[in-house]
Amino acid sequence: MAVILTEKAAQHVANYLTKRGKGIGLRLGVRTSGCSGMAYKLEFVDEIGEDDTIFESNGVKVVVDAKSLPYLDGMELDYAREGLNEGFKFNNPNVKDQCGCGESFTV
């Protein structure tokens, strides 16, 4: 099982952790939401939970809870700038379909 960050995504997260002044890494998970059923959630990690799995990618820790891990296994998180827009891109091989707005997905 693995969840990885591209070099660009890892650098972006590392910069924010430095600005924030604390934190262990990035928590990546899923929640029930949207028109397709699930949505990604991202937040900074200050504490590791008992059911968390930790991956290290390009020098940044990625923490995933046990419930989210089956939906995220094999995922690559990238950070891209396209014109005036910039943000994380979720390259998840488990996604079967996603809504038109890109906010939610189905596995």
Side-chain angles (χ1 to χ4, degrees), residues 22-82:
K22 65 178 183 174
I24 297 168
L26 179 71
R27 178 175 297 281
L28 179 59
V30 295
R31 60 183 166 82
T32 304
S33 178
C35 49
S36 290
M38 301 182 126
Y40 297 109
K41 62 180 182 177
L42 294 170
E43 57 191 16
F44 293 110
V45 178
D46 292 326
E47 293 182 15
I48 303 295
E50 277 186 30
D51 69 339
D52 288 338
T53 300
I54 303 167
F55 302 97
E56 182 134 355
S57 185
N58 285 306
V60 173
K61 287 183 174 64
V62 180
V63 180
V64 180
D65 65 89
K67 290 180 184 178
S68 298
L69 190 55
Y71 303 108
L72 301 175
D73 184 31
M75 190 175 101
E76 176 189 73
L77 184 62
D78 192 11
Y79 191 82
R81 181 174 287 172
E82 296 170 358

